[in-house]
Amino acid sequence: MILDLAPLVCGVLLAVSGAAKLLGRRTAQVAANTVLVRVLGNGHRAAFALRAVGAVELVVAAGLLAAPGTLLPGAATALLGAGFTGYLGYAKATAPQSSCGCSARDEGPIGVRSFLRAGAVLAGGVAAAFAGTAWWSRLARDPGWSVLVAAVAAAGLLALSTDLDRVWMPLRRLRLRVFGTPLPAGPRGWVPVEASVELLERSLAWQASAPIVRSALLDSWDDEGWRVLRFAGVHHDAGGARPVNVLFALDDQATRDANPSPAVRVSVIDDRTQEVVPVDLLELSGLHKPLRMA
């Protein structure tokens, strides 16, 4: 049954991710933060490559859904999964802070879930290649078990995706407001990075920087009483869109209880030249309250 339903599950997955890459409005922004920029030389080529991959995914998805009993669509899916795994491995080795670009919807560093997702595509392709019965025939023969197996597989793939992380964010913030951070302070009053991120996300500086920031936390370090948090971003100016690093600095001892509104410094650094980019965050964000900056 799993082999027979593999073309359906893989086909839907590739159709959704392929359409997002090929037709998504944020594909160019997502591509700008991937290792493709380094490999291909500029963001335009990286965006073209990402859209081309999306087109290939759509073609393979059509084959899986329309001709599930043939070998070629499953083999092509397995090759895509192997290619995704190799790409992630290369990106992790050469540009560990780059974004995955897997779904062209969200950005963030390459993690375990990215590799598991690529591995799932590879395994699903192998399973689809050995399917003996068309998925619609299997659904008609065993509707109850088929729906259950497909639902479990879909839930597993959704758990491996970062696209739904924002859906759970309000619940996570509510939990932190009610119960506080679950991470205890370390030795010598060390404050967990997660607690600093929580304070940052409550600040006006974070709201003002929202038009630029495009990733989750990529890196952090402590320096002379300051905790620096680094995020990837994209800044639009007269020269077009360019990748930047957005650095936030706040008191490394600040906590929700001791200092719920610490001063926050914001710096925008060009990712290619490493020069400071002058940005008026108030004007950019439309916020008219003065930022509290140190």
Side-chain angles (χ1 to χ4, degrees):
M1 178 179 294
I2 294 177
L3 298 182
D4 296 338
L5 295 177
L8 173 61
V9 176
C10 291
V12 172
L13 172 65
L14 292 179
V16 172
S17 62
K21 292 186 182 78
L22 180 62
L23 307 173
R25 295 179 178 178
R26 300 189 63 242
T27 298
Q29 296 179 4
V30 173
N33 289 323
T34 66
V35 74
L36 293 175
V37 175
R38 176 177 297 179
V39 174
L40 301 176
N42 60 57
H44 295 294
R45 293 175 183 170
F48 178 80
L50 203 58
R51 293 188 190 280
V53 172
V56 172
E57 288 183 74
L58 286 176
V59 171
V60 175
L64 287 168
L65 296 175
T70 56
L71 177 64
L72 183 58
T77 303
L79 285 176
L80 275 177
F84 292 153
T85 304
Y87 159 75
L88 292 173
Y90 173 78
K92 192 69 176 178
T94 59
Q97 302 302 332
S98 64
S99 176
C100 172
C102 302
S103 66
R105 291 191 184 87
D106 204 356
E107 298 173 79
I110 297 171
V112 175
R113 286 193 294 176
S114 302
F115 283 97
L116 290 177
R117 183 185 171 100
V121 174
L122 173 58
V126 173
F130 292 97
T133 303
W135 58 266
W136 53 79
S137 298
R138 174 59 66 180
L139 277 174
R141 187 185 306 170
D142 302 303
W145 284 110
S146 297
V147 170
L148 178 61
V149 170
V152 170
L157 291 174
L158 288 175
L160 297 178
S161 173
T162 59
D163 294 341
L164 296 182
D165 285 357
R166 293 183 180 180
V167 175
W168 311 121
M169 189 60 72
L171 294 178
R172 292 173 179 172
R173 290 175 176 170
L174 177 61
R175 184 195 65 184
L176 291 174
R177 290 192 184 98
V178 175
F179 301 106
T181 175
L183 301 175
R188 300 180 181 178
W190 180 77
V191 176
V193 174
E194 288 79 1
S196 299
V197 174
E198 179 193 0
L199 285 177
L200 173 64
E201 292 180 347
R202 291 167 172 267
S203 70
L204 188 59
W206 176 259
Q207 298 176 37
S209 305
I212 301 178
V213 175
R214 293 287 186 276
S215 77
L217 178 66
L218 298 180
D219 194 8
S220 67
W221 62 90
D222 295 341
D223 184 19
E224 297 183 353
W226 290 93
R227 171 157 292 164
V228 183
L229 306 172
R230 185 174 76 85
F231 298 77
V234 176
H235 177 57
H236 297 266
D237 55 18
R242 54 175 165 174
V244 295
N245 287 302
V246 187
L247 305 181
F248 299 91
L250 65 162
D251 186 350
D252 63 0
Q253 295 297 309
T255 64
R256 180 184 174 189
D257 297 328
N259 187 2
S261 300
V264 179
R265 290 180 173 177
V266 186
S267 298
V268 180
I269 310 296
D270 189 293
D271 190 43
R272 297 170 184 169
T273 65
Q274 301 301 311
E275 296 178 349
V276 176
V277 179
V279 180
D280 188 337
L281 294 176
L282 285 176
E283 181 181 357
L284 183 67
S285 63
L287 297 173
H288 300 295
K289 295 180 181 179
L291 281 172
R292 184 183 177 187
M293 296 181 177

